Structures are given as C-alpha cells and as structure tokens.
Amino acid sequence: MKANVNENCIGCGLCASTCPEVFQMTGEGVAQAQEEPVAPQLEPSVLDAQSGCPVDAIEVE
Ligand code: F3S
C-alpha cells in the first residue's frame, strides 16, 4: 500500500495523530504521507486515518 495526501487537506491533523508513523504535518500546516510503501502492520491505521479525514484528502493505492 502507498498513501498520499492530496491538495484537499485542510491541516486538521487527525491523520498525524491516528497514524504518526506514516503521516506528518509539514511546515505549511498540511499533512504529508511517507514516500515509502506502508508497512503491512500499519495498513489498518492508515485506513482509519483515511476514513477519519474530514475532507477525503487521503488516497491509498
Ligand atoms: Fe489533512 Fe485530512 Fe490529515 S485534512 S491533516 S489529510 S486528516
């Protein structure tokens, strides 16, 4: 799985607290996902972050 944060992000920060291993807040106040593929044990937490995002800014492939 790969995670990506798109331009819809409003910087609410939920993903970074739900799954800090994959999502970090940038200096611009939006989230950024790690470039590397998500470790299998973190996939449930990434999906939680995705469903929790209020603006559907998290894409997974
Ligand atoms: Fe942005 Fe959604 Fe995370 S708004 S900070 S991608 S929960």
Side-chain angles (χ1 to χ4, degrees):
M1 174 196 282
K2 274 211 66 172
N4 184 52
V5 176
N6 69 28
E7 67 286 348
N8 289 342
C9 176
I10 55 170
C12 82
L14 194 64
C15 56
S17 54
T18 302
C19 188
E21 297 89 348
V22 174
F23 299 99
Q24 273 97 42
M25 303 306 291
T26 71
E28 282 102 55
V30 294
Q32 165 180 294
Q34 69 177 27
E35 296 281 330
E36 305 78 40
V38 173
Q41 68 270 23
L42 292 174
E43 290 184 359
S45 149
V46 167
L47 294 176
D48 274 357
Q50 182 187 33
S51 60
C53 177
V55 292
D56 290 333
I58 298 173
E59 299 165 357
V60 297
E61 58 184 66

